[in-house]
Amino acid sequence: MKRALFEEDHEQFRELATEFNAREISGKYAQWEKDHQIPREVWQSAGENGLLGLAVPEEFGGMGIDDYRFRVVLDEEFVRSGHLAVALAFHLHDDLVLPYLLSYGSAELKAKWLPRMVDGSTITSCALTEPGAGSDLRAVRTKAVRDGDDWLISGQKTFIGNAAFGDASLVLARTDGESSRAGAHSFSLFMVERSEGYSNGKPFDKMGLRASDTAELFFDEVRVSATDLVGEVGQGLSYVKAQLPQARLALAVAASAICSASFEQALEHTKNRSTFGQVLTEYQNTRFELADLKTEAHVTQSFVDRAVLAFNEGELNASDAAEVKLWASESAKKLSDKALQLHGGYGYIMEYPIAQSFTASRLLTIFGGTSEIMRETIGRAL
Amino acid sequence: MKRALFEEDHEQFRELATEFNAREISGKYAQWEKDHQIPREVWQSAGENGLLGLAVPEEFGGMGIDDYRFRVVLDEEFVRSGHLAVALAFHLHDDLVLPYLLSYGSAELKAKWLPRMVDGSTITSCALTEPGAGSDLRAVRTKAVRDGDDWLISGQKTFIGNAAFGDASLVLARTDGESSRAGAHSFSLFMVERSEGYSNGKPFDKMGLRASDTAELFFDEVRVSATDLVGEVGQGLSYVKAQLPQARLALAVAASAICSASFEQALEHTKNRSTFGQVLTEYQNTRFELADLKTEAHVTQSFVDRAVLAFNEGELNASDAAEVKLWASESAKKLSDKALQLHGGYGYIMEYPIAQSFTASRLLTIFGGTSEIMRETIGRAL
Amino acid sequence: MKRALFEEDHEQFRELATEFNAREISGKYAQWEKDHQIPREVWQSAGENGLLGLAVPEEFGGMGIDDYRFRVVLDEEFVRSGHLAVALAFHLHDDLVLPYLLSYGSAELKAKWLPRMVDGSTITSCALTEPGAGSDLRAVRTKAVRDGDDWLISGQKTFIGNAAFGDASLVLARTDGESSRAGAHSFSLFMVERSEGYSNGKPFDKMGLRASDTAELFFDEVRVSATDLVGEVGQGLSYVKAQLPQARLALAVAASAICSASFEQALEHTKNRSTFGQVLTEYQNTRFELADLKTEAHVTQSFVDRAVLAFNEGELNASDAAEVKLWASESAKKLSDKALQLHGGYGYIMEYPIAQSFTASRLLTIFGGTSEIMRETIGRAL
Amino acid sequence: MKRALFEEDHEQFRELATEFNAREISGKYAQWEKDHQIPREVWQSAGENGLLGLAVPEEFGGMGIDDYRFRVVLDEEFVRSGHLAVALAFHLHDDLVLPYLLSYGSAELKAKWLPRMVDGSTITSCALTEPGAGSDLRAVRTKAVRDGDDWLISGQKTFIGNAAFGDASLVLARTDGESSRAGAHSFSLFMVERSEGYSNGKPFDKMGLRASDTAELFFDEVRVSATDLVGEVGQGLSYVKAQLPQARLALAVAASAICSASFEQALEHTKNRSTFGQVLTEYQNTRFELADLKTEAHVTQSFVDRAVLAFNEGELNASDAAEVKLWASESAKKLSDKALQLHGGYGYIMEYPIAQSFTASRLLTIFGGTSEIMRETIGRAL
Ligand SMILES: Cc1cc2nc3c(=O)[nH]c(=O)nc-3n(C[C@H](O)[C@H](O)[C@H](O)COP(=O)(O)OP(=O)(O)OC[C@H]3O[C@@H](n4cnc5c(N)ncnc54)[C@H](O)[C@@H]3O)c2cc1C
Ligand SMILES: Cc1cc2nc3c(=O)[nH]c(=O)nc-3n(C[C@H](O)[C@H](O)[C@H](O)COP(=O)(O)OP(=O)(O)OC[C@H]3O[C@@H](n4cnc5c(N)ncnc54)[C@H](O)[C@@H]3O)c2cc1C
Ligand SMILES: Cc1cc2nc3c(=O)[nH]c(=O)nc-3n(C[C@H](O)[C@H](O)[C@H](O)COP(=O)(O)OP(=O)(O)OC[C@H]3O[C@@H](n4cnc5c(N)ncnc54)[C@H](O)[C@@H]3O)c2cc1C
Ligand SMILES: Cc1cc2nc3c(=O)[nH]c(=O)nc-3n(C[C@H](O)[C@H](O)[C@H](O)COP(=O)(O)OP(=O)(O)OC[C@H]3O[C@@H](n4cnc5c(N)ncnc54)[C@H](O)[C@@H]3O)c2cc1C
C-alpha cells in the first residue's frame, strides 16, 4: 500500500530538509548532547533555509504555509537520523509558541515577534509548567501584575525546553490578582523577553533529548509591555485549550516518525549482523519482530496521516487529537523498545539513533499531556 | 475525524442489510446456535435481497459489484448485532469460493454455478484444510484422478464451514498422481457437488460461531465432470495464493467491525449499569478502558479502510494483506476481550453480542492463515 | 527448581483423584456439556471417595482436613484433563458454601447440613449475585422476613452455579426490613433448601464451563427454619468478607493449574505436529512461546504455592488474596490464549482441553470478584 | 504474606550496607555519572567494610560466605537508592569474575588475586564480548599464544564494564591456534593485568548506568604468566557455561529489587503529589497501576527468592536460571516503565531514582544473555 500523504511540493521540501540535516547537524550532534545545547548558528541557518516559522504569513517574513504536511516532512528527517532534540526544539518554537501569536496576537505583537522567529534570531520557549502545575494548569502560580501600561511578571517555571539558551518565552501567568481559587478566566499569556529579572537554571540532566536545554525559568518582576500580552486578558487557558490539537498532532507526527525509523533501523541492523553463523534476519523470532514492527509502524502512520489531513481541513477536535497523541506516543514507546532489543548491546549506546529514539519516546507519553490525561480527555467526551 | 470510506450507494445498501438482519436473523439466531445451522431459507432470502454473490456479473444473475465496500457494509451489520456466524457463512461463499470461479472458471463453469450462488439456492463451502494440512497446504492428500473426461475425488477435509448443510464445495486436491513429494504444480481446484461418495461429519462443537456448521467432509470417489475443474490443472496452489489478499482483507474487515462493535457495546453497557451508587462510566478505570477501546477501534478502522481502497484499486499485495489481517484480527481479539470484561458476568453469556464477538475473534487469528503465518509472510517479504 | 509444595500424603490423594477422574468423568464429560449438568451420581461417587467436604470434621462425617493442599491436588487433576466444570462445581460446594457453615454455623446447622454435603447427597450452591448486584453486594434485594421462628425468603438471584440441579443454596438476603439504604449490618446468610416457592431458570448458555448448571434462582416466600440461619443476624456481609481469601485463593489455585496445563498441552501438541516438513517445536517462534509459557506457569505457581502455605498458616489477608487471584486469573487468561494459538484450528474445538481451559479462564477474571475489584482492594489497602 | 528469605544475619548485614550506601555514595553519585567513574576510594572503603569478595575463603582474606542472600541484600540497598551503577560494578567483580577464580583457579592464582579483590585494591572486569561476538561467544577472536611459559594476548573486547578504570580483566581468548572454525575446546580464560599492550577506549556514552565505565579493551601482545591461566586450557567456554546460573541469578536479583523499588517510589511520589485538587492516589487509575506494580513486584520476588534458595542448594540449572533472568529482567523493564509514568515529568530527570532504574532496566534484557537467548535456552531444554 503506497502512502498517500505527500505531493510533489512536499518531496521537494524534503530534499531541502535532508540536505540541511546532513550539512548542519550530522557529525555535530553528539557534542551538542554533551553541551545540552543546540548552537545558535543552527537556528539561524534553519531560518535562512526556510525551516522555521513555516506558517508565518509573507508580510512577516514567512511563507504562509498552512499545510501541516511540511512540518511532517521536517520531523521525519530529524527523527530518522536520531537528531531528536532538534525536532523537539523546533517543535516548541513552531508548534507551541507560534500558533498562539498567529491566532491571537495583535498586529504589533506579530510585527515584533514573527520576523525574528522566522529568521531564527530569536529562539523561543513555551513556559506553561511549574513545579506544582503540570497536568493541571489551573495550579499555575506565576503572576502578572499591571504596572501602568506594562505588566510585571514573577514566578517559576520548570521543565521548559529552549529555556537555558532561548531568548524569549511564552508564559502562562495569573492575571486575576490571585484573589481566590483560580478559575477559567484567571490566566493570560505573555511573550517575555530575556531582560532584567529573567533567569534560568542549568539544563536538567535528562534521560534523552540531551541536546535540548530543558531548564527552569525564574521571573522576578520582569517588565513586559502591553504589546506582549497575547490576545485578551483572561483568555490564557482557553487559548491553550484551543491550540492543543496542533501541539498534540505535532507530537503524534514525531512519534509516528519514530515508529517508522525504528523499524527501518532494526531491519538495517539485523540484516547486517550475524550470530551462530546466521544473519539475524534468518532467525524466525527476528523476522516476526520485524513483521510486527513494520505492521504497527504502518498502522500508526495510517492513523496519523489521516489526522494530519483532518487537521489541514480544520476538523481535528480535542478528543481526536488526544486519540492520535495517545496512540502514536504509546506506539513509539513500544516499537522503539522492540527495535532497540534487536540491536543487542549497541542499542544501549547513545550514538545509535535507536537509543535516541527510545529515550525520546519515553518523554512522548508524558510531555504535551500525559497518556492518562489523553484518556481522560477521550473518556470525558464519550 | 469523520470516516471517509463510504458514499451514498453504500449507505443505501446498509439500510437493506440492516433491515434484512432485523427481519430474518434477530430473535432466531440463538436457536441456530443450538442447531449448528443457518436455515436454508435465510440463504434464499439473502439471495432475493441481493446480498449474495455481489461480484457476480449481471449475465450470471448478479450485480457485478466489484467495489469491496458493499461487502464491508454487510459484514458490519452482522457483526454489530452479534450474528457472526452469518457473517462467516456468507464470507465463505462470497470471499472464498466465488473469486476463484470468477477469476479462473470457464464460461460453462460460471454458467453452471454462479446463478445458483447468487440466488442462494446453492450453499458452498471452501475445502482446503485437512487433518494433516492446515497452514501447510502442500501436505494436502485428497486426490483427484482422471476417469475418462471426469475426475474421481477421494480424501478427507476438516474444519470446513458450510460443510454439514452445504450443497457443494470448492476442493483442493492433488492431481499429480502423488508420485512423490508435492510440488508447486501438484494441485488443482474443483467444484464438487453433494452426490454419491460425498458425505460429512457432524458439526464440530466449537467455542463460538456455533450457528456455523463447521464439519469434516469425506470424498469417496466422488465423480466430478471436466466442467467443474476450476481453471487449469496444476494451478490450484497458485490460485489460492493469488486469492489470499481478498480472503484476508475480508477477515480484517470483519475484525475491524468487531473492534468498533466491541467499543459501542461496552459503552452502552457501562452507561447503563451502576455499582456502589455510581454509573460504571463514572469510574476512571472504565473511562480509560473505553478511551483505549475507542482509540484502537479507530486506529484499526483507519488501517483497514485504507486497505479496502487499495484492494479496490488492485494494489493490495500479499504482504500488505498479511499486515492488515494480522493487525485487525489481533486487535479484535484484544478489544473484544477488554469490552467483555466491562460487561462483568453478562459478557460470559452467549446471548450477549460481546460474547459472540469474543469467541468469534478467537478464531480470527487462526482461520485464513494464522498470525504466525502472517508474520512469516511479512517477514519473508522484507 | 523442584516444586516444594506437596508431601507424600498429597501425592497419595492425587492417585485417588486421578483414578476418580479417569473412571467417572473422562469420556462422559462431553455429554454433560450438552446437558449443562453433572449427573448426581458423580457427586455421590465423589462423596464415597472422600473428595467432597474435605474440611468437615470427623464427627460430621468428614476427614477434618484443614490443609488446603488437598484441594489443590483435586483442582489440578480436573484442570489437567479439561474437566473444568467439575472443578467449578466442587469449588462452589467446598470453598464457597462449606467454610461459612464450618465457621459460623450452629451445632444444629452443622449436624443438619455437613453430612449430606460430605456424602454428595446434597448439592449446594452459593447465591450472592443478583441482576442488580454483582461487584456491589450491598445492592442485594432478596429479603428474609421473620415469620414466627421461621424466615420467609423472597427474591431473585442470578449467575448461580449448581443452581439448576442443586438441592440447597446459601443465600445472602436483607434482614433489616429494608427500611432505607442498606448498611454493613443489613444482611444475613441462610441455607435454603429446595421447597415450596424455590425455583430456578434454565441453565444459561455460557461461553465455557458448560457442564456447570449456572442459572437464576427465584425465591417466593420460601420458608426457612431458624436453624438455617448461618451465624448471626446482620453479619452476612462481614462473613462474606471474612471468607473472601479462601474463595479467591481457590480460584487462584485453579488458575495456576490452568497455566501449567496450558503449557503441558501446548508442548504435547507442538511436539507431535508438523508443517512444512518441520515439527512445530523446531520453529523458533514455537520454542519461544513455549519458553514463555513454561516460565510464566512457574512464576505463577511459585506465587500461588506461597499463598497456599500462607493460607494454611492463617496469614493470607484480603489484599494478599486479591493479589494472588488477580495475578493467577489474568495469567491463566493469557497463557491459555497463547497455548490455544499453538494448537491452530484444534484449539477452537471444545473437545480439546485447551479450549476448555481458555473459555473457563475467561470467567476467572470476572467471577469471585472482577480484576477491577481486586485492584481496588489492593489499591485501597496501600 | 511475609517474605521468608532473610534471617537475622542478613538483616545485620543490611544495616552495614545501608550505612555504607548513605555515607559513601549518596550525594556523590550524580557527579560520578558525569565522570563515568566510581572513584577508587569507594572500592577500597567497600573492601574495608567487607562488601567485596563475599565468597572468598578466609585464608584469602574473605569471609567465605557462600550464602547468596548476602549479595541479595547488597543489591537491594544500591537499587533502592538509585545507585545502580555501583550495583553493576560490584556485580561484575563479585558475580562474574570471582566465581571463576574460586572454582577453577590454582592455589597460586587464588593467592595472587583474591586478597586484592577482597580489599578493593584491584578492580576487575570480565571481558567476554567483542565487536563481532556477543550472544555467540564462539565468534570470539581475541587470541592467546604461548610464549615460553607465558602467554601473549591480542585482540579487542567491547562493552566491558569496569574497563576504563579497572586494573585487571578476566579475558576469554582462543588458544587453539585458530586453525579453523572454533570448537567447544578452542577457548581459555586468563586474568590479565593492566600492563604493556593493555589499553582501553573512552567510556561509552550509555543510556543509563552512566557512572559505570563501560569501554573497549585492546590487547596488543599483553604478556600473561602461566599462573594467570584460569583452570585448564581449552575449558574456557565450558567454564562460562557452568557459571551462567550465578551470573543470571545475580541479574534477576537486581531486577527484582528494581521491581520492588519501582513500586515503592511510585507509591511515595503519588502519595505526595496532587493535581486538580486530588492526591494522585485518589485517582482510580493511579491506584490500579499501583496495585499492578505491587502485585507483580511480589510475584517476581517470590520467584527470584525461590531461585536464590535453589541456588544456595546447588539446584539452579541452566534452564531455571534462564527462566529467572528472563522473567525478572522483563518484569523490571515493565514495572520501572509504569512507575516512571506515574512520576510525570520528574521521571525523565536522571537525578530521580526511578529514571536510574528505568534506564538500567533497559540493559537487563540484553546484558548477560539477551531475552532471546534466554528463550532459546529454555526452549531447547524442553
Ligand atoms: C523533558 C521535558 C520537557 C518539557 N518541556 C516543556 C516545555 O517546553 N514547556 C512546558 O510548559 N512544559 C514542558 N514539560 C512539562 C510536561 O508537559 C509535564 O511534565 C507534563 O504535562 C506532566 O506534568 P507533571 O510532570 O507535572 O506530572 P503530573 O501532572 O504531576 O502527573 C504525574 C502523574 O499523575 C498522572 N495524573 C495527573 N492527573 C491525573 C488524573 N486526573 N487522573 C489520572 N492520572 C493523573 C499523570 O498522568 C502522571 O502519570 C516538559 C517536561 C519534560 C520532562
Ligand atoms: C472454526 C474453523 C473454521 C474453519 N473453516 C475452514 C474452511 O471453511 N475451509 C478451510 O479450508 N479451512 C477452514 N479452517 C481451517 C483453518 O484455516 C486452519 O485451522 C488454519 O489454517 C490453521 O491450520 P491448522 O489448524 O492445521 O494449524 P497448524 O498449521 O497445525 O498450526 C498449528 C500452530 O503452529 C503454527 N505454525 C504452523 N506453521 C508454522 C511456521 N512455519 N512457523 C511458526 N509457526 C507455525 C501455527 O501458527 C499454529 O499456531 C477452519 C478452522 C476452524 C477452527
Ligand atoms: C458463569 C458464572 C458463574 C457465576 N457463579 C456465581 C455463583 O455461583 N454465585 C454467585 O453468587 N455469583 C456467581 N457469579 C456472579 C459473579 O460473581 C459476578 O458476575 C461478578 O461478581 C461480577 O458482577 P457483575 O456481573 O454484576 O458485574 P458488575 O459488578 O456489573 O461489573 C461490570 C464491570 O464493571 C466493573 N466495575 C464494577 N465496579 C467497579 C468499580 N468500583 N470500579 C471500577 N470498575 C468497576 C467490573 O469490574 C466489571 O468490569 C457467576 C457469574 C458467572 C458469569
Ligand atoms: C552497558 C553494557 C555493559 C556490558 N558489560 C559487559 C561486560 O562487562 N562484559 C562482557 O563481556 N560483556 C558486556 N556487555 C555485552 C553484553 O553481554 C552483550 O551486549 C550481549 O550479550 C548481547 O550481545 P550483542 O550486543 O553482541 O548482541 P547480538 O548477539 O548481536 O544480538 C543482537 C540481537 O539478536 C538477537 N539474537 C542473537 N542471536 C539470536 C538467536 N540465535 N536467535 C534469535 N535472536 C538472536 C539478540 O537477542 C539481540 O536481540 C555489556 C553490554 C552493554 C550494553
Side-chain angles (χ1 to χ4, degrees), chain B residues 269-270 273-276 278 280 283 285-286 340-346 348-349, chain C residues 88 92 96 125-137 158-162 206 208-209 214 363 366-373 376, chain D residues 284 288:
Chain B
H269 186 82
T270 53
R273 184 155 179 97
S274 300
T275 62
F276 310 102
Q278 283 191 274
L280 291 182
Y283 293 115
N285 180 68
T286 308
L340 188 157
Q341 182 70 19
L342 293 174
H343 283 74
Y346 297 90
Y348 205 69
I349 309 303
Chain C
L88 175 63
L92 297 168
L96 285 193
S125 63
C126 175
L128 310 177
T129 306
E130 302 190 353
S135 299
D136 175 14
L137 290 180
T158 195
F159 295 146
I160 309 304
N162 297 345
K206 301 193 304 296
L209 294 160
T214 315
L363 181 62
I366 295 171
F367 173 58
T370 66
S371 288
E372 290 73 29
I373 296 300
E376 194 66 39
Chain D
Q284 192 179 49
F288 278 29

Side-chain angles (χ1 to χ4, degrees), chain A residues 1-3 263 267 284 287-288 290-292 294-296 298-299 302-303 306-307 310 315-316 319-320 323-324 326-327 372 375-376 378-380 382, chain B residues 1-3 263 267 284 287-288 290-292 294-296 298-299 302-303 306-307 310 315-316 319-320 323-324 326-327 372 375-376 378-380 382:
Chain A
M1 292 193 279
K2 261 181 292 168
R3 192 174 177 193
F263 162 64
L267 178 60
Q284 193 178 50
R287 279 200 309 279
F288 279 29
L290 290 169
D292 280 342
K294 189 179 181 195
T295 302
E296 190 162 336
H298 280 164
V299 164
S302 286
F303 192 48
R306 200 179 137 203
E315 288 192 348
L316 193 80
S319 177
D320 295 337
E323 285 187 30
V324 178
L326 171 63
W327 180 266
E372 290 72 30
R375 291 191 180 97
E376 195 65 40
I378 303 162
R380 287 195 181 280
L382 287 174
Chain B
M1 291 194 280
K2 260 181 291 163
R3 191 173 178 195
F263 162 65
L267 178 61
Q284 193 180 49
R287 279 200 310 278
F288 278 29
L290 290 170
D292 280 342
K294 189 178 181 197
T295 302
E296 190 162 335
H298 280 165
V299 164
S302 286
F303 193 48
R306 198 179 139 203
E315 287 192 349
L316 193 81
S319 177
D320 295 338
E323 284 186 32
V324 178
L326 171 64
W327 180 267
E372 290 73 30
R375 290 191 181 97
E376 194 66 39
I378 303 161
R380 287 196 180 281
L382 286 175

Side-chain angles (χ1 to χ4, degrees), chain B residues 68-340:
Chain B
Y68 197 74
R69 291 176 290 180
F70 290 92
R71 290 270 320 130
V72 175
V73 167
L74 205 55
D75 255 21
E76 291 183 350
E77 290 311 300
F78 293 144
V79 166
R80 189 168 302 173
S81 47
H83 302 150
L84 278 135
V86 180
L88 175 63
F90 287 12
H91 157 68
L92 296 168
H93 194 77
D94 255 61
D95 290 315
L96 285 194
V97 177
L98 192 62
Y100 293 98
L101 310 192
L102 289 174
S103 303
Y104 314 112
S106 64
E108 296 81 38
L109 181 140
K110 286 181 179 165
K112 175 171 175 188
W113 290 103
L114 297 183
R116 301 157 59 184
M117 287 182 69
V118 170
D119 69 15
S121 59
T122 290
I123 301 171
T124 64
S125 63
C126 175
L128 310 177
T129 305
E130 302 191 353
S135 300
D136 175 14
L137 289 179
R138 288 210 192 179
V140 155
R141 288 167 55 185
T142 293
K143 62 183 177 188
V145 180
R146 269 196 201 276
D147 186 56
D149 277 359
D150 296 343
W151 296 83
L152 293 178
I153 298 197
S154 301
Q156 178 185 354
K157 297 285 177 180
T158 194
F159 295 144
I160 308 305
N162 297 348
F165 304 106
D167 307 298
S169 189
L170 178 73
V171 175
L172 182 72
R174 274 190 83 161
T175 43
D176 66 352
E178 304 125 273
S179 42
S180 54
R181 287 190 57 190
H185 299 288
S186 300
F187 302 91
S188 307
L189 285 167
F190 300 88
M191 278 301 286
V192 185
E193 197 151 7
R194 196 173 279 276
S195 59
E196 213 192 312
Y198 182 123
S199 64
N200 59 267
K202 282 201 305 183
F204 286 111
D205 183 9
K206 300 193 306 297
M207 175 183 306
L209 293 160
R210 294 189 207 152
S212 163
D213 55 323
T214 315
E216 289 174 301
L217 280 179
F218 305 97
F219 307 113
D220 183 8
E221 304 213 328
V222 181
R223 182 166 299 275
V224 161
S225 76
T227 312
D228 294 329
L229 169 69
V230 180
E232 291 175 34
V233 172
Q235 292 302 314
L237 278 189
S238 72
Y239 294 163
V240 169
K241 221 172 146 184
Q243 297 303 320
L244 284 179
Q246 176 166 351
R248 290 175 177 170
L249 177 65
L251 294 173
V253 163
S256 175
I258 286 178
C259 293
S260 301
S262 295
F263 162 65
E264 297 291 352
Q265 290 155 11
L267 178 61
E268 192 63 22
H269 186 82
T270 53
K271 271 164 67 174
N272 291 294
R273 184 155 179 97
S274 300
T275 62
F276 310 102
Q278 283 191 274
V279 178
L280 291 182
T281 48
E282 293 179 64
Y283 293 115
Q284 193 180 49
N285 180 68
T286 308
R287 279 200 310 278
F288 278 29
E289 290 293 293
L290 290 170
D292 280 342
L293 283 168
K294 189 178 181 197
T295 302
E296 190 162 335
H298 280 165
V299 164
T300 301
Q301 195 181 67
S302 286
F303 193 48
V304 173
D305 283 358
R306 198 179 139 203
V308 167
L309 294 176
F311 178 75
N312 271 353
E313 286 161 29
E315 287 192 349
L316 193 81
N317 68 28
S319 177
D320 295 338
E323 284 186 32
V324 178
K325 199 261 177 185
L326 171 64
W327 180 267
S329 61
E330 292 290 343
S331 194
K333 190 164 75 126
K334 179 163 59 160
L335 301 198
S336 61
D337 177 65
K338 268 173 178 287
L340 188 157

Side-chain angles (χ1 to χ4, degrees), chain C residues 1-3 263 267 284 287-288 290-292 294-296 298-299 302-303 306-307 310 315-316 319-320 323-324 326-327 372 375-376 378-380 382, chain D residues 1-3 263 267 284 287-288 290-292 294-296 298-299 302-303 306-307 310 315-316 319-320 323-324 326-327 372 375-376 378-380 382:
Chain C
M1 292 194 279
K2 261 181 291 165
R3 191 175 177 193
F263 162 65
L267 178 61
Q284 193 179 49
R287 279 200 310 279
F288 279 28
L290 289 170
D292 280 342
K294 189 179 180 195
T295 301
E296 191 162 334
H298 279 164
V299 164
S302 286
F303 193 49
R306 198 178 138 204
E315 289 191 348
L316 193 80
S319 177
D320 295 336
E323 285 187 31
V324 177
L326 171 63
W327 180 267
E372 290 73 29
R375 290 191 181 96
E376 194 66 39
I378 303 162
R380 286 194 182 281
L382 287 175
Chain D
M1 291 194 280
K2 262 180 290 166
R3 190 175 179 194
F263 162 64
L267 178 61
Q284 192 179 49
R287 278 201 309 279
F288 278 29
L290 290 170
D292 280 342
K294 188 178 182 195
T295 301
E296 190 162 336
H298 279 165
V299 163
S302 285
F303 192 49
R306 199 180 138 202
E315 288 192 349
L316 192 81
S319 177
D320 295 337
E323 285 186 31
V324 178
L326 171 63
W327 180 267
E372 290 73 29
R375 290 191 180 97
E376 194 66 40
I378 303 162
R380 288 196 180 280
L382 286 173

Side-chain angles (χ1 to χ4, degrees), chain A residues 123-140:
Chain A
I123 302 171
T124 63
S125 63
C126 176
L128 310 178
T129 306
E130 302 190 354
S135 299
D136 174 15
L137 290 179
R138 289 212 192 178
V140 155

